[in-house]
Amino acid sequence: MRALLWMALSFMLAWPALAQDTAPDRSSTGGAQTLEDIMARQRGEKLDDSFRRDATGQGNVEALIGQLGTRGVASDSEVFRALRYGSANTTTQASGPTSTLLIQDSGMAWLTFREGPLLTYGLYLLGGMTAVIALFWLIRGRIMIEGAKTGRNIIRFLAIERFAHWLMGVSFIVLGITGLVLIAGRKFILPWMGLEAYATIALAGKWVHNNIAWAFMLGLAMVFVMWVHHNIPDRTDIKWLAKGGGLFSKGVHPPAKKFNAGQKIIFWSVIVLGVSISASGLALLFPFELPMFAKTFNILNMTGLPQLVTGGALPEVLSPYEEMQLSQLWHGIVAFVFIAIIVAHIYLGSVGMEGAIETMATGEVDEQWAKEHHSIWYEEELAKAQAKSGADRATPAE
Amino acid sequence: MRVFFLACAAVAAISVGAYYGLHAIGFSASDVASGTAVRLD
């Protein structure tokens, strides 16, 4: 899933390079931009602007500065272009990662993508997942325990496991709601709520989102440590998947260990997406301190994957603002995919399957539920209990 | 459900702890809207 998302992001970033045409004739303006260049830019088309980007006079300045000790021959326009494209040798009294970047123009592209495709397709994804779950519920109904309940319970999850699950789960739900308010609220809530009310909600949402993230990260780490050894893929997963996990037909119960293949997919999705969303979230929490996209793009370019998919390499030099903008966009993309997956998990873990909620509510399940959904794990637990019982009986009284 | 409510309380406690903890080390993204070089007054 992460590889697919990287491919999608690679394609998105490198698409403009593919869309470039051959250099137009600019002889009428002496090589400067033409009206057609300006109009094309206003239409949102990506232009090969190297004819401006490279015309900064910096070369002349640097060559002459030692001889003349003046600004050299760079014109105001050339100096402006050097600032505009970030190639000026700038020094400022203020310190900080962004202090020498006087002009950055990637903000509109970021905002347009954030308010456009990211929000639109993200909401389509959540709506689509909801529709799929509703259709599944209409066709399959609630997955019931088919045999008679035994009345005997078996411990499925210890208290510490349930604590970690809920620590992550509760914080994730709050993060999801506040995140959606922050990204979609301006479009859907603000118009009927008004500026002041929405500003209050957005500010509170940002506070909650920023601070509750630590609980999510702690829960994620705990869940990984406690469950990773149960989620290593094995042969039983292939059999489970071949039968669709018995989700689509009654009376089918493919054998499974403590976690079946579907749960393993959820587990690894949560870990991979959780780490990724945490990394981008930390980059947003500590602005300009954790730039990671230029380095990541460098590694990706070395694999040749972006070039193979899009025909062009990903940018390996990014301004601090571009790093932040990409962190925000990636955070949003991962969040929408993450929420869509968790919506399905919440359905199957609650109303979608009889007995599932007890696994995380009380930590105990009926033996019949265990036999039907996790038969190998049930047999193992039974064998353990019998061995323990035998050992207790064999212990001589003092 | 006791564990669930305990986790809810932990979420709240960790959030508030993170807020004050970050303040204690001199940083909070919740409040910082500009750098020290920018005067807002």
Side-chain angles (χ1 to χ4, degrees), chain A residues 163 166 206-207 212 214 285 361, chain B residues 1 3 11 15 18-19 27 29:
Chain A
F163 176 80
W166 287 124
K206 181 175 173 286
W207 189 96
I212 220 168
W214 301 99
L285 266 178
Chain B
M1 292 302 283
V3 173
V11 167
S15 303
Y19 176 73
F27 177 82

Side-chain angles (χ1 to χ4, degrees), chain A residues 75-122:
Chain A
S75 68
D76 286 348
S77 298
E78 288 169 330
V79 171
F80 180 81
R81 277 196 292 270
L83 292 171
R84 157 78 170 70
Y85 289 110
S87 59
N89 183 18
T90 313
T91 54
T92 58
Q93 285 185 313
S95 60
T98 61
S99 59
T100 56
L101 185 68
L102 303 187
I103 299 173
Q104 70 93 22
D105 66 346
S106 53
M108 283 312 295
W110 163 75
L111 184 64
T112 307
F113 184 79
R114 181 184 186 274
E115 292 185 339
L118 175 60
L119 184 57
T120 305
Y121 293 114

Side-chain angles (χ1 to χ4, degrees), chain A residues 245-267:
Chain A
L247 292 173
F248 302 99
S249 45
K250 292 179 181 174
V252 178
H253 299 292
K257 296 182 178 175
K258 186 175 177 86
F259 293 109
N260 60 42
Q263 290 169 318
K264 288 179 182 179
I265 290 170
I266 294 287
F267 174 83

Side-chain angles (χ1 to χ4, degrees), chain A residues 160-170 219 223 227 345 360:
Chain A
I160 186 69
E161 292 176 292
R162 284 178 282 138
F163 176 80
H165 172 270
W166 287 124
L167 189 67
M168 186 171 64
V170 170
V223 159
W227 290 346
H345 171 67
M360 278 299 163

